[in-house]
Amino acid sequence: MPAGKLATPGQVLENKEFSGLIDIYADNVTIRNSIVHDGIRVRGSHVLIDHVATSGIAISGGTGHVIQYSNLSGGDDGFHISSTLEPVSGVIIRHNYVHDRRPPKGAHTDGIQVRGVRKLSVVCNNIDLSPYDKTQTAVVFLEWANGGNRDVVVDHNWLNAGGTTLVVAAKNLRVTDNRFGRGFRWNVCRLGNDDAGRSTFFSAGNVWADNGRPVVLCGQTR
């Protein structure tokens, strides 16, 4: 069916295949067990995206979003979260597979790029950008913009490749029990572009996937 703008609160779309881009402007919208060929953009609040195959998901407004058990391939960023237009808060990204990115000419790609959020959980995802190519910036890119990133959890994920796997610029950040691949080009962790990125964050239980040994992230020793 054709894609387009979803502006009716409470819509539930299940078992559909959409030929283009979906724009979600309403609150309490659910897309479940569906295919969206050209990506999803979210501006409403309390949006649930569950078991969806798509090229990428951009969140540029609202609160209380959950994206789970979805397959994101093709396109530039797997997830792009930004408070440029409206504040974004309370986002849960869990049990998703991000892979095989194909950005358009001149664009870069990240598994998750975050440019301003309050309360973000990235839990139990498989984000694998391998093999590395020059379009890749980071698997998880926490960029200090639009008021910064606060109260972020990155926990129990498989993270691999990117120019750098993890770029850190956030306040009250916890990076715990993740497994890291060695497919990155430059380094596994880099401090971000603001003083927030140079402050201490909590890091524990992170290991290399190939041998189970601890990963030291940006000098953190815990």
Side-chain angles (χ1 to χ4, degrees):
M1 64 185 297
K5 183 176 178 179
L6 302 182
T8 302
Q11 282 182 277
V12 178
L13 301 175
E14 295 184 281
N15 306 314
K16 306 290 186 183
E17 183 169 358
F18 298 92
S19 59
L21 173 71
I22 291 287
D23 273 307
I24 302 175
Y25 283 84
D27 297 344
N28 301 301
V29 170
T30 295
I31 303 178
R32 181 184 291 119
N33 298 331
S34 296
I35 299 171
V36 183
H37 285 284
D38 290 340
I40 301 171
R41 295 191 299 210
V42 177
R43 291 281 296 275
S45 287
H46 303 289
V47 170
L48 171 61
I49 299 171
D50 179 23
H51 286 86
V52 170
T54 190
S55 59
I57 297 172
I59 300 173
S60 57
T63 188
H65 305 301
V66 177
I67 300 95
Q68 62 185 14
Y69 300 103
S70 292
N71 189 319
L72 283 67
S73 63
D76 44 15
D77 293 342
F79 292 94
H80 187 95
I81 300 170
S82 175
S83 292
T84 301
L85 299 176
E86 301 173 14
V88 178
S89 64
V91 178
I92 298 173
I93 296 173
R94 63 190 178 198
H95 299 287
N96 302 286
Y97 182 27
V98 181
H99 61 105
D100 294 315
R101 311 311 303 165
R102 293 187 297 276
K105 186 177 180 179
H108 77 278
T109 187
D110 301 293
I112 301 177
Q113 183 174 14
V114 184
R115 305 190 74 248
V117 71
R118 183 177 292 274
K119 197 172 183 182
L120 167 66
S121 294
V122 179
V123 179
C124 295
N125 301 280
N126 181 340
I127 310 176
D128 190 348
L129 301 187
S130 64
Y132 170 78
D133 68 60
K134 64 182 180 180
T135 67
Q136 297 177 15
T137 303
V139 177
V140 178
F141 190 175
L142 301 173
E143 183 179 356
W144 193 263
N146 306 312
N149 308 305
R150 292 173 170 80
D151 304 325
V152 178
V153 173
V154 180
D155 178 68
H156 277 92
N157 302 280
W158 157 256
L159 307 173
N160 185 41
T164 298
T165 306
L166 176 65
V167 177
V168 176
K171 299 277 191 184
N172 191 23
L173 168 66
R174 297 178 63 87
V175 183
T176 52
D177 298 316
N178 300 283
R179 296 175 66 83
F180 286 84
R182 297 183 188 266
F184 55 84
R185 174 66 176 86
W186 304 109
N187 42 39
V188 70
C189 183
R190 175 169 62 82
L191 297 178
N193 57 351
D194 185 89
D195 288 344
R198 298 181 178 88
S199 61
T200 300
F201 63 94
F202 184 82
S203 172
N206 301 293
V207 299
W208 294 111
D210 58 0
N211 60 17
R213 299 189 66 179
V215 177
V216 178
L217 297 174
C218 294
Q220 305 303 304
T221 56
R222 288 171 298 188

